[in-house]
């Protein structure tokens, strides 16, 4: 009886580990795509700021935009990880 229990236990653990691995892989895939999209957006924004005539956008405001965009990126990644972990538990 103990042998049957142990085999069933190992099968359940393997099933859970497989689901856990697949969920983590999907989370990392999603985070990678989100970060790539944010990096593309930031690059485009900085490129457009460089191409604008001098004095068109105040430097302080441009710095504020960039720091706010980086903050949004980190918050998006954190919330995506949190939500994915929340859904797996």
């Amino acid at each position: 009886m103990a042998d049957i229990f142990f085999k069933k236990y190992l099968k359940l653990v393997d099933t859970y580990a497989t689901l856990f691995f697949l969920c983590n892989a999907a989370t990392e895939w999603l985070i990678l795509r989100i970060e790539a999209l944010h990096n593309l957006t930031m690059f485009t924004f900085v490129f457009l700021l460089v191409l604008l005539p001098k004095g068109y956008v105040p430097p302080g405001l441009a710095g504020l935009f960039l720091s706010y965009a980086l903050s949004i990126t980190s918050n998006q990644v954190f919330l995506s990880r949190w939500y994915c972990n929340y859904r797996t538990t």
Side-chain angles (χ1 to χ4, degrees):
M1 198 68 169
D3 192 38
I4 293 171
F5 171 77
F6 190 68
K7 286 181 182 179
K8 187 174 182 181
Y9 171 74
L10 287 178
K11 184 178 178 186
L12 290 173
V13 168
D14 286 344
T15 302
Y16 176 75
T18 302
L19 294 174
F20 185 74
F21 174 75
L22 293 176
C23 185
N24 279 342
T27 301
E28 291 302 320
W29 179 86
L30 176 67
I31 296 299
L32 182 69
R33 296 318 189 260
I34 289 172
E35 286 181 345
L37 184 62
H38 283 292
N39 288 337
L40 180 67
T41 306
M42 286 289 293
F43 175 75
T44 305
F45 177 70
V46 169
F47 188 70
L48 290 176
L49 275 178
V50 169
L51 290 180
L52 286 175
K54 191 172 188 173
Y56 191 74
V57 176
L61 192 59
L64 182 65
F65 289 157
L66 289 174
S67 65
Y68 186 67
L70 289 173
S71 173
I72 292 280
T73 302
S74 62
N75 286 340
Q76 178 68 32
V77 169
F78 171 76
L79 288 174
S80 298
R81 284 189 189 273
W82 177 79
Y83 186 72
C84 288
N85 287 334
Y86 173 72
R87 298 297 296 170
T88 59
T89 56

